[in-house]
Amino acid sequence: MVQQSAAQLLDAVFIICKYCGELALATETMMVNLMDTVEQNVDDDDDENCEPKLGHDIRQAFLSGCDLFVDKSLQGGLKNVEESELKIQTFSDGYTTKSQVSDEVLKHIEIVTATTKILLLKCQEVQVELDTTMRESLDNKPENYYHRSYRRSQRLITHISGLVDGVALLIQAVEPLVEGAESDLRRVLRCAEMIQRSTVKLVAVSSSNLETFSGTITDNQSECSETSILSDSQSEQMDLASQEVRLATNTLIGLVKKNVTANSSAATPTKSKRLLPMSPEKPGKLTASPHTHQKSRNISRNISLVDH
Protein backbone atom coordinates (compact mmCIF):
# COMPACT_ATOMS: atom_id res chain seq x y z
CA MET A 1 0.00 0.00 0.00
CA VAL A 2 2.76 2.42 0.97
CA GLN A 3 4.80 1.56 -2.11
CA GLN A 4 1.75 2.01 -4.36
CA SER A 5 0.98 5.39 -2.83
CA ALA A 6 4.60 6.47 -3.21
CA ALA A 7 4.58 5.47 -6.88
CA GLN A 8 1.35 7.38 -7.50
CA LEU A 9 2.75 10.41 -5.73
CA LEU A 10 5.91 10.26 -7.84
CA ASP A 11 3.86 10.01 -11.03
CA ALA A 12 1.83 13.03 -9.95
CA VAL A 13 5.05 14.99 -9.39
CA PHE A 14 6.25 14.13 -12.89
CA ILE A 15 2.90 15.17 -14.38
CA ILE A 16 3.09 18.50 -12.54
CA CYS A 17 6.63 19.03 -13.84
CA LYS A 18 5.41 18.27 -17.35
CA TYR A 19 2.63 20.86 -17.03
CA CYS A 20 5.16 23.36 -15.68
CA GLY A 21 7.33 22.88 -18.77
CA GLU A 22 4.38 23.41 -21.10
CA LEU A 23 3.22 26.45 -19.13
CA ALA A 24 6.72 27.94 -19.09
CA LEU A 25 6.88 27.95 -22.88
CA ALA A 26 3.30 29.19 -23.24
CA THR A 27 3.99 32.16 -20.97
CA GLU A 28 7.45 32.81 -22.47
CA THR A 29 9.11 32.34 -19.09
CA MET A 30 12.86 32.86 -19.12
CA MET A 31 14.46 30.05 -17.14
CA VAL A 32 17.59 31.10 -15.30
CA ASN A 33 18.85 27.52 -15.14
CA LEU A 34 17.77 23.91 -14.88
CA MET A 35 20.80 22.82 -12.91
CA ASP A 36 20.86 20.82 -9.71
CA THR A 37 20.18 22.89 -6.64
CA VAL A 38 21.41 21.75 -3.24
CA GLU A 39 19.93 21.91 0.18
CA GLN A 40 22.61 23.10 2.55
CA ASN A 41 22.69 21.85 6.15
CA VAL A 42 22.46 24.89 8.36
CA ASP A 43 24.59 23.25 11.08
CA ASP A 44 27.34 21.96 8.80
CA ASP A 45 28.68 23.76 5.73
CA ASP A 46 30.65 20.76 4.53
CA ASP A 47 29.98 19.84 0.87
CA GLU A 48 29.55 16.19 1.87
CA ASN A 49 26.18 17.07 3.46
CA CYS A 50 24.85 18.52 0.19
CA GLU A 51 22.29 16.36 -1.58
CA PRO A 52 20.71 16.92 -5.04
CA LYS A 53 17.28 18.50 -4.84
CA LEU A 54 16.42 18.58 -8.56
CA GLY A 55 17.24 15.35 -10.38
CA HIS A 56 17.45 14.13 -13.95
CA ASP A 57 13.93 12.66 -14.00
CA ILE A 58 12.36 15.89 -12.82
CA ARG A 59 14.15 17.95 -15.44
CA GLN A 60 13.33 15.45 -18.18
CA ALA A 61 9.64 15.65 -17.21
CA PHE A 62 9.82 19.44 -17.43
CA LEU A 63 11.40 19.26 -20.89
CA SER A 64 8.79 16.71 -22.01
CA GLY A 65 6.16 19.36 -21.27
CA CYS A 66 8.13 21.77 -23.47
CA ASP A 67 8.14 19.19 -26.26
CA LEU A 68 4.39 18.81 -25.93
CA PHE A 69 3.86 22.55 -26.36
CA VAL A 70 6.17 22.62 -29.40
CA ASP A 71 4.08 19.85 -30.96
CA LYS A 72 0.87 21.77 -30.23
CA SER A 73 2.38 24.87 -31.82
CA LEU A 74 3.23 22.88 -34.94
CA GLN A 75 -0.30 21.49 -35.10
CA GLY A 76 -1.79 24.96 -34.71
CA GLY A 77 0.60 26.36 -37.32
CA LEU A 78 -0.34 23.62 -39.80
CA LYS A 79 -4.01 24.40 -39.29
CA ASN A 80 -3.46 28.10 -39.98
CA VAL A 81 -1.38 27.39 -43.10
CA GLU A 82 -4.08 25.04 -44.42
CA GLU A 83 -6.66 27.81 -43.98
CA SER A 84 -4.38 30.18 -45.89
CA GLU A 85 -3.99 27.55 -48.60
CA LEU A 86 -7.77 27.32 -49.04
CA LYS A 87 -8.05 31.10 -49.13
CA ILE A 88 -5.47 31.55 -51.88
CA GLN A 89 -7.26 28.88 -53.91
CA THR A 90 -10.46 30.93 -53.74
CA PHE A 91 -8.46 33.94 -54.97
CA SER A 92 -7.31 31.96 -57.99
CA ASP A 93 -10.87 30.81 -58.73
CA GLY A 94 -12.22 34.36 -58.51
CA TYR A 95 -9.38 35.96 -60.45
CA THR A 96 -10.51 38.84 -62.68
CA THR A 97 -8.84 41.25 -65.07
CA LYS A 98 -9.31 44.00 -62.47
CA SER A 99 -6.69 42.36 -60.29
CA GLN A 100 -3.39 44.20 -59.90
CA VAL A 101 -1.41 40.95 -59.82
CA SER A 102 -0.96 38.39 -62.56
CA ASP A 103 -2.39 34.91 -62.38
CA GLU A 104 1.19 33.61 -62.36
CA VAL A 105 1.93 35.47 -59.12
CA LEU A 106 -1.13 33.94 -57.45
CA LYS A 107 -0.04 30.46 -58.50
CA HIS A 108 3.38 30.94 -56.96
CA ILE A 109 1.87 32.27 -53.73
CA GLU A 110 -0.11 29.05 -53.62
CA ILE A 111 3.13 27.10 -54.14
CA VAL A 112 4.84 29.02 -51.30
CA THR A 113 1.94 28.16 -49.00
CA ALA A 114 2.01 24.48 -49.97
CA THR A 115 5.79 24.14 -49.50
CA THR A 116 5.59 25.88 -46.12
CA LYS A 117 2.98 23.34 -45.05
CA ILE A 118 5.27 20.47 -46.08
CA LEU A 119 8.16 22.00 -44.12
CA LEU A 120 6.04 22.22 -40.96
CA LEU A 121 4.94 18.60 -41.42
CA LYS A 122 8.54 17.43 -41.74
CA CYS A 123 9.53 19.48 -38.72
CA GLN A 124 6.74 17.87 -36.71
CA GLU A 125 7.78 14.37 -37.73
CA VAL A 126 11.42 15.00 -36.86
CA GLN A 127 10.50 16.63 -33.55
CA VAL A 128 8.41 13.62 -32.49
CA GLU A 129 11.31 11.27 -33.29
CA LEU A 130 13.73 13.45 -31.34
CA ASP A 131 11.41 13.65 -28.34
CA THR A 132 11.25 9.87 -28.20
CA THR A 133 15.01 9.36 -28.31
CA MET A 134 16.05 12.30 -26.14
CA ARG A 135 13.50 12.08 -23.32
CA GLU A 136 13.56 8.32 -22.79
CA SER A 137 17.21 8.33 -21.80
CA LEU A 138 17.81 7.36 -18.17
CA ASP A 139 21.34 8.71 -18.10
CA ASN A 140 22.18 12.06 -16.60
CA LYS A 141 23.08 14.74 -19.11
CA PRO A 142 25.66 17.52 -18.85
CA GLU A 143 24.40 20.41 -16.77
CA ASN A 144 24.13 22.78 -19.75
CA TYR A 145 22.04 20.25 -21.70
CA TYR A 146 18.78 20.97 -19.86
CA HIS A 147 18.97 24.74 -20.13
CA ARG A 148 19.96 24.61 -23.79
CA SER A 149 17.17 22.18 -24.55
CA TYR A 150 14.70 24.65 -23.08
CA ARG A 151 16.23 27.49 -25.10
CA ARG A 152 15.98 25.37 -28.24
CA SER A 153 12.26 24.84 -27.60
CA GLN A 154 11.82 28.58 -27.15
CA ARG A 155 13.54 29.28 -30.46
CA LEU A 156 11.47 26.65 -32.24
CA ILE A 157 8.26 28.32 -31.03
CA THR A 158 9.54 31.73 -32.18
CA HIS A 159 10.44 30.61 -35.71
CA ILE A 160 7.34 28.44 -36.15
CA SER A 161 5.24 31.50 -35.30
CA GLY A 162 7.32 33.66 -37.64
CA LEU A 163 6.84 31.24 -40.52
CA VAL A 164 3.09 30.90 -39.99
CA ASP A 165 2.66 34.66 -39.53
CA GLY A 166 4.60 35.25 -42.75
CA VAL A 167 2.15 33.10 -44.72
CA ALA A 168 -0.86 34.82 -43.12
CA LEU A 169 0.56 38.28 -43.89
CA LEU A 170 1.28 37.18 -47.46
CA ILE A 171 -2.39 36.30 -47.96
CA GLN A 172 -3.49 39.58 -46.36
CA ALA A 173 -1.15 41.52 -48.65
CA VAL A 174 -2.40 39.94 -51.88
CA GLU A 175 -6.14 39.98 -51.06
CA PRO A 176 -6.82 43.68 -51.84
CA LEU A 177 -4.72 43.41 -54.99
CA VAL A 178 -6.83 40.50 -56.24
CA GLU A 179 -9.99 42.50 -55.58
CA GLY A 180 -8.62 45.43 -57.60
CA ALA A 181 -8.23 47.76 -54.63
CA GLU A 182 -5.35 50.19 -54.23
CA SER A 183 -2.48 48.55 -52.35
CA ASP A 184 1.28 48.22 -52.40
CA LEU A 185 2.53 45.14 -54.25
CA ARG A 186 5.82 45.47 -52.39
CA ARG A 187 4.10 44.16 -49.25
CA VAL A 188 4.00 40.77 -50.98
CA LEU A 189 7.74 41.05 -51.53
CA ARG A 190 8.44 41.77 -47.87
CA CYS A 191 6.26 38.87 -46.71
CA ALA A 192 8.08 36.46 -49.03
CA GLU A 193 11.42 37.61 -47.59
CA MET A 194 10.06 37.13 -44.06
CA ILE A 195 9.11 33.52 -44.91
CA GLN A 196 12.62 32.92 -46.24
CA ARG A 197 14.28 34.15 -43.06
CA SER A 198 12.00 32.15 -40.79
CA THR A 199 12.61 29.01 -42.86
CA VAL A 200 16.39 29.24 -42.50
CA LYS A 201 16.21 29.89 -38.75
CA LEU A 202 13.63 27.16 -38.08
CA VAL A 203 15.72 24.47 -39.78
CA ALA A 204 18.91 25.72 -38.12
CA VAL A 205 17.41 25.57 -34.63
CA SER A 206 15.73 22.23 -35.29
CA SER A 207 19.05 20.58 -36.13
CA SER A 208 21.23 22.40 -33.60
CA ASN A 209 23.41 20.38 -31.24
CA LEU A 210 22.38 20.87 -27.61
CA GLU A 211 25.98 20.55 -26.48
CA THR A 212 27.00 23.69 -28.40
CA PHE A 213 23.69 25.49 -28.97
CA SER A 214 23.90 29.15 -27.92
CA GLY A 215 20.37 30.18 -28.85
CA THR A 216 21.52 32.72 -31.45
CA ILE A 217 20.86 31.93 -35.12
CA THR A 218 21.94 34.25 -37.93
CA ASP A 219 20.13 34.65 -41.25
CA ASN A 220 23.00 33.07 -43.18
CA GLN A 221 23.65 30.15 -40.83
CA SER A 222 23.68 26.74 -42.45
CA GLU A 223 20.74 24.51 -41.59
CA CYS A 224 22.58 21.27 -40.98
CA SER A 225 25.89 21.71 -39.24
CA GLU A 226 28.46 19.02 -38.66
CA THR A 227 27.29 18.70 -35.05
CA SER A 228 23.60 18.34 -35.90
CA ILE A 229 21.50 16.24 -33.54
CA LEU A 230 19.51 15.00 -36.53
CA SER A 231 20.26 11.75 -38.28
CA ASP A 232 21.34 11.81 -41.91
CA SER A 233 17.82 10.90 -43.01
CA GLN A 234 16.22 13.58 -40.85
CA SER A 235 18.71 16.19 -42.04
CA GLU A 236 18.02 15.30 -45.65
CA GLN A 237 14.25 15.58 -45.16
CA MET A 238 14.50 18.98 -43.48
CA ASP A 239 17.01 20.25 -46.03
CA LEU A 240 14.88 19.22 -49.01
CA ALA A 241 11.74 20.75 -47.49
CA SER A 242 13.51 24.05 -46.77
CA GLN A 243 15.01 24.16 -50.27
CA GLU A 244 11.51 23.88 -51.76
CA VAL A 245 10.32 26.82 -49.67
CA ARG A 246 13.31 28.96 -50.65
CA LEU A 247 12.95 28.07 -54.32
CA ALA A 248 9.25 29.00 -54.26
CA THR A 249 9.86 32.29 -52.43
CA ASN A 250 12.77 33.23 -54.74
CA THR A 251 10.57 32.69 -57.78
CA LEU A 252 7.76 34.71 -56.21
CA ILE A 253 10.14 37.55 -55.33
CA GLY A 254 11.38 37.67 -58.94
CA LEU A 255 7.83 37.81 -60.33
CA VAL A 256 6.75 40.50 -57.88
CA LYS A 257 9.76 42.64 -58.76
CA LYS A 258 8.82 42.38 -62.44
CA ASN A 259 5.25 43.45 -61.65
CA VAL A 260 6.46 46.36 -59.53
CA THR A 261 8.76 47.53 -62.34
CA ALA A 262 6.00 47.19 -64.94
CA ASN A 263 3.50 49.08 -62.79
CA SER A 264 6.02 51.85 -62.14
CA SER A 265 6.70 52.25 -65.85
CA ALA A 266 2.99 52.37 -66.65
CA ALA A 267 2.35 54.96 -63.96
CA THR A 268 5.11 57.31 -65.17
CA PRO A 269 3.57 59.98 -67.50
CA THR A 270 5.24 60.53 -70.90
CA LYS A 271 6.83 63.92 -71.47
CA SER A 272 4.91 66.10 -74.01
CA LYS A 273 6.05 69.23 -75.81
CA ARG A 274 5.15 72.44 -74.05
CA LEU A 275 2.89 74.70 -76.09
CA LEU A 276 3.83 78.35 -75.63
CA PRO A 277 1.29 81.15 -76.25
CA MET A 278 1.73 83.09 -79.48
CA SER A 279 3.68 86.30 -79.00
CA PRO A 280 1.70 89.48 -79.86
CA GLU A 281 2.71 91.19 -83.11
CA LYS A 282 4.28 94.64 -83.06
CA PRO A 283 1.99 97.60 -83.91
CA GLY A 284 4.04 98.70 -86.90
CA LYS A 285 3.69 95.32 -88.56
CA LEU A 286 -0.03 94.82 -88.17
CA THR A 287 -1.71 93.66 -91.34
CA ALA A 288 -4.90 95.56 -92.19
CA SER A 289 -7.98 93.67 -93.26
CA PRO A 290 -9.79 94.37 -96.60
CA HIS A 291 -12.62 96.05 -94.70
CA THR A 292 -10.15 98.51 -93.23
CA HIS A 293 -8.74 99.39 -96.67
CA GLN A 294 -12.27 100.01 -98.07
CA LYS A 295 -13.13 102.27 -95.16
CA SER A 296 -9.95 104.33 -95.75
CA ARG A 297 -10.80 104.86 -99.44
CA ASN A 298 -14.32 106.05 -98.56
CA ILE A 299 -12.94 108.57 -96.10
CA SER A 300 -10.44 109.92 -98.67
CA ARG A 301 -13.18 110.35 -101.31
CA ASN A 302 -15.43 112.23 -98.87
CA ILE A 303 -12.60 114.59 -98.03
CA SER A 304 -12.07 115.31 -101.77
CA LEU A 305 -15.71 116.18 -102.30
CA VAL A 306 -15.67 118.61 -99.45
CA ASP A 307 -12.69 120.42 -100.90
CA HIS A 308 -14.50 120.93 -104.20
Side-chain angles (χ1 to χ4, degrees):
M1 176 73 86
V2 174
Q3 291 180 348
Q4 183 179 3
S5 299
Q8 292 177 348
L9 181 60
L10 188 59
D11 290 341
V13 170
F14 289 150
I15 291 173
I16 292 173
C17 291
K18 192 173 182 179
Y19 286 150
C20 287
E22 188 176 356
L23 184 62
L25 273 186
T27 56
E28 300 180 358
T29 301
M30 181 60 67
M31 300 299 297
V32 177
N33 61 57
L34 283 173
M35 299 172 63
D36 281 338
T37 57
V38 295
E39 185 176 6
Q40 193 77 24
N41 191 329
V42 294
D43 296 329
D44 190 357
D45 294 337
D46 190 3
D47 292 342
E48 294 180 356
N49 295 325
C50 298
E51 297 180 356
K53 186 178 180 181
L54 187 62
H56 170 73
D57 294 340
I58 296 295
R59 290 182 285 185
Q60 284 286 63
F62 179 90
L63 294 176
S64 295
C66 296
D67 296 336
L68 181 60
F69 187 77
V70 170
D71 186 67
K72 288 181 178 179
S73 299
L74 284 167
Q75 292 179 15
L78 282 167
K79 183 179 179 182
N80 291 337
V81 171
E82 287 173 354
E83 292 175 354
S84 298
E85 193 175 20
L86 292 174
K87 198 166 187 179
I88 194 63
Q89 287 174 358
T90 60
F91 291 165
S92 300
D93 295 338
Y95 180 80
T96 63
T97 55
K98 295 181 180 180
S99 301
Q100 297 186 34
V101 290
S102 65
D103 184 49
E104 190 177 9
V105 170
L106 291 178
K107 287 180 180 178
H108 278 85
I109 290 177
E110 189 174 351
I111 294 173
V112 169
T113 307
T115 53
T116 302
K117 176 183 172 182
I118 294 173
L119 175 61
L120 290 175
L121 283 170
K122 292 298 179 184
C123 186
Q124 186 180 37
E125 293 174 4
V126 169
Q127 187 65 24
V128 170
E129 294 174 3
L130 286 177
D131 295 345
T132 303
T133 56
M134 293 168 58
R135 305 302 177 223
E136 289 183 352
S137 174
L138 299 177
D139 299 329
N140 286 323
K141 302 290 184 181
E143 291 301 329
N144 59 2
Y145 166 86
Y146 304 100
H147 176 68
R148 287 177 174 174
S149 181
Y150 179 74
R151 291 287 293 155
R152 174 180 178 273
S153 297
Q154 282 185 314
R155 294 295 181 182
L156 281 174
I157 296 297
T158 299
H159 300 317
I160 289 168
S161 299
L163 188 59
V164 174
D165 290 345
V167 173
L169 291 172
L170 180 62
I171 304 303
Q172 291 179 11
V174 78
E175 184 173 5
L177 295 170
V178 173
E179 295 174 351
E182 292 293 333
S183 186
D184 190 357
L185 187 59
R186 285 170 292 188
R187 287 182 57 197
V188 176
L189 183 66
R190 291 192 292 268
C191 293
E193 292 172 345
M194 176 181 176
I195 293 172
Q196 273 192 338
R197 291 192 298 270
S198 297
T199 297
V200 172
K201 292 181 179 180
L202 175 61
V203 179
V205 171
S206 179
S207 61
S208 58
N209 191 330
L210 295 179
E211 302 297 331
T212 58
F213 176 61
S214 63
T216 303
I217 304 295
T218 61
D219 290 344
N220 298 323
Q221 182 169 340
S222 175
E223 298 93 282
C224 300
S225 62
E226 295 179 359
T227 57
S228 172
I229 60 173
L230 303 182
S231 65
D232 292 340
S233 175
Q234 291 170 338
S235 296
E236 185 178 0
Q237 292 178 36
M238 292 294 293
D239 188 49
L240 288 175
S242 65
Q243 285 180 10
E244 292 295 327
V245 176
R246 285 179 295 174
L247 178 61
T249 49
N250 281 333
T251 306
L252 176 61
I253 289 172
L255 288 172
V256 171
K257 285 182 178 179
K258 285 184 179 180
N259 276 258
V260 170
T261 303
N263 291 344
S264 299
S265 300
T268 304
T270 57
K271 292 185 177 180
S272 58
K273 293 183 178 180
R274 184 180 177 185
L275 297 178
L276 298 175
M278 294 180 63
S279 58
E281 296 182 1
K282 294 182 179 180
K285 295 184 178 181
L286 287 175
T287 304
S289 63
H291 177 72
T292 304
H293 287 296
Q294 182 65 33
K295 186 175 181 180
S296 299
R297 285 194 297 268
N298 292 337
I299 292 174
S300 299
R301 188 178 62 181
N302 290 336
I303 293 173
S304 301
L305 290 174
V306 170
D307 292 339
H308 288 291

